[in-house]
Amino acid sequence: MNTNTTEALTNQAPGNPFAVQAPAGGGALAAMTSNAAVTSVLASIWIAKQFPRDLAEVTARMNQACSRLTLAQSATYAFPRGGTTVEGPSIRLAEALIGAWGNAEAGWKELGRHWDPKGADGNGCMVSECVAFCFDKETNVRREISFTVNHTRDKNEYEGGKKVMKRVALDSERDVYELCANMASRRIRACILQVLPGWLTEEALATTKKALENGDSRPLADIIRSLEAKFREYGVSRAQLEANLGHKLEETTKPEVVKLGKVYNSIADGMVRVKDVFPDDDQPAKEPSLPKTPTPTPAPKAAPKTTQAPPPVTAPALEDGIPGLDVPEDVPSFGTFEH
């Protein structure tokens, strides 16, 4: 029975991330490659055992890294979901923590590819099978998450004068690599946070919060302008920022700057889309008009009995068959919104 499993890991490119390597055809070459990989892992575990981590040094490295303003500004993310705010440590903070922890490794690999005939809106596309992982070599604790990535991208096209969103297949290895790396970043963060102890993450968040409160000595106006420029790179206008804040951008306070910074990190890390946080300002939302209270019409006096036909009585204007209705039925109701 053939026990070689290397042939299943086709199309790997460990040397060049933008190239595709042909599958190993011979059993001897596959066995040598497998043995070399196992030997490398065992050697790294042996070295980790010989030089165990010192928790005091780990804490010192964490405090040194998290006290830097550049890391503190990108350490957390936040975005609205279902009426609440989802918040947590970002991939940038997770990478800094795994470096301070030591004797550990985190990353992602592309294991193979297959053809999906239903991808790219039925035109077919390649699909990458990937895995994100974090491995503590000293404690032999490993967490990994498998995922697939369709080699497609969204593209706006016009059909019959209407803009239609379509998914088209990618034809560049560089685009494929960047797409897979972007999809892997959130899984790597999850794996790292599962391996690291909770106290280290909590202390890191407290350190970054303190750095944000006291670290930036620039005038608040300069910080606001810098943040506005960062959002502009993702197509967020000043009007959208002010609509999110509920006031002029110049009136932004320091806590609101911190909040917007977390939202920016969420967009930059691909955890949320711009339109999910900042609705399109090309067509500003209209305030629903309140229905007017119809003025009660006094009851007509009883007409005296006569053989002649009574004069015509002018009735209230009818709209959609409902007397006194002044507001069209398509006015949006309060509290209605699209997810």
Side-chain angles (χ1 to χ4, degrees):
M1 180 177 65
N2 182 16
T3 60
N4 175 30
T5 60
T6 308
E7 292 183 357
L9 306 181
T10 59
N11 298 315
Q12 282 187 302
N16 183 0
F18 303 139
V20 179
Q21 177 177 319
L29 178 59
M32 291 174 59
T33 304
S34 178
N35 291 336
V38 172
T39 302
S40 176
V41 172
L42 292 177
S44 63
I45 293 176
W46 183 85
I47 294 174
K49 294 290 186 180
Q50 300 305 310
F51 303 94
R53 66 177 61 93
D54 185 343
L55 293 184
E57 293 182 359
V58 169
T59 304
R61 288 195 294 265
M62 180 273 295
N63 287 326
Q64 183 180 14
C66 294
S67 297
R68 299 184 65 88
L69 183 60
T70 52
L71 176 60
Q73 290 174 337
S74 61
T76 54
Y77 66 85
F79 58 88
R81 174 178 289 177
T84 61
T85 301
V86 180
E87 186 172 351
S90 67
I91 180 60
R92 302 284 85 81
L93 180 61
E95 291 171 347
L97 291 182
I98 200 65
W101 186 241
N103 287 340
E105 179 183 2
W108 70 279
K109 292 181 180 179
E110 182 181 6
L111 303 180
R113 296 183 183 182
H114 66 270
W115 177 258
D116 181 11
K118 297 182 180 179
D121 291 341
N123 296 321
C125 69
M126 293 296 295
V127 178
S128 291
E129 300 173 2
C130 305
V131 59
F133 64 91
C134 182
F135 179 35
D136 188 337
K137 303 174 184 179
E138 186 175 324
T139 60
N140 200 24
V141 175
R142 181 182 178 90
R143 296 291 183 269
E144 63 179 36
I145 300 176
S146 300
F147 61 100
T148 59
V149 181
N150 294 330
H151 296 186
T152 59
R153 63 182 176 89
D154 294 335
K155 182 180 180 182
N156 289 324
E157 295 184 357
Y158 287 88
E159 291 184 357
K162 295 182 179 180
K163 185 169 66 173
V164 180
M165 179 71 72
K166 288 190 174 183
R167 290 189 173 182
V168 298
L170 296 175
D171 54 3
S172 169
E173 281 297 327
R174 183 184 183 92
D175 293 339
V176 171
Y177 173 79
E178 292 178 350
L179 176 62
C180 292
N182 182 53
M183 297 292 289
S185 61
R186 285 169 287 174
R187 279 95 175 173
I188 296 173
R189 178 185 62 87
C191 292
I192 291 175
L193 296 180
Q194 290 177 15
V195 170
L196 293 177
W199 62 264
L200 183 65
T201 305
E202 293 175 0
E203 290 186 8
L205 290 174
T207 305
T208 56
K209 182 180 179 180
K210 185 177 180 180
L212 283 175
E213 293 174 351
N214 306 322
D216 200 339
S217 58
R218 295 179 299 169
L220 184 58
D222 294 343
I223 300 176
I224 295 174
R225 282 193 293 268
S226 176
L227 190 59
E228 180 187 4
K230 290 181 179 180
F231 273 108
R232 195 181 299 116
E233 296 176 357
Y234 288 91
V236 180
S237 65
R238 169 182 280 256
Q240 290 173 301
L241 289 173
E242 292 178 345
N244 183 274
L245 292 169
H247 53 71
K248 293 294 184 180
L249 198 60
E250 293 78 9
E251 302 172 0
T252 307
T253 62
K254 191 68 175 290
E256 289 175 330
V257 168
V258 175
K259 177 185 174 182
L260 284 178
K262 295 178 181 180
V263 174
Y264 171 80
N265 295 334
S266 304
I267 297 174
D269 290 345
M271 305 193 68
V272 67
R273 297 174 298 180
V274 172
K275 64 180 182 179
D276 295 332
V277 184
F278 301 98
D280 190 4
D281 62 345
D282 291 340
Q283 297 179 353
K286 296 181 179 179
E287 291 292 337
S289 57
L290 293 174
K292 299 179 181 178
T293 303
T295 303
T297 304
K301 297 180 180 180
K305 295 182 180 180
T306 177
T307 56
Q308 297 180 352
V313 178
T314 304
L318 299 182
E319 185 174 339
D320 293 339
I322 305 177
L325 183 63
D326 297 326
V327 181
E329 292 184 346
D330 59 351
V331 172
S333 58
F334 293 100
T336 302
F337 60 94
E338 296 182 0
H339 295 279

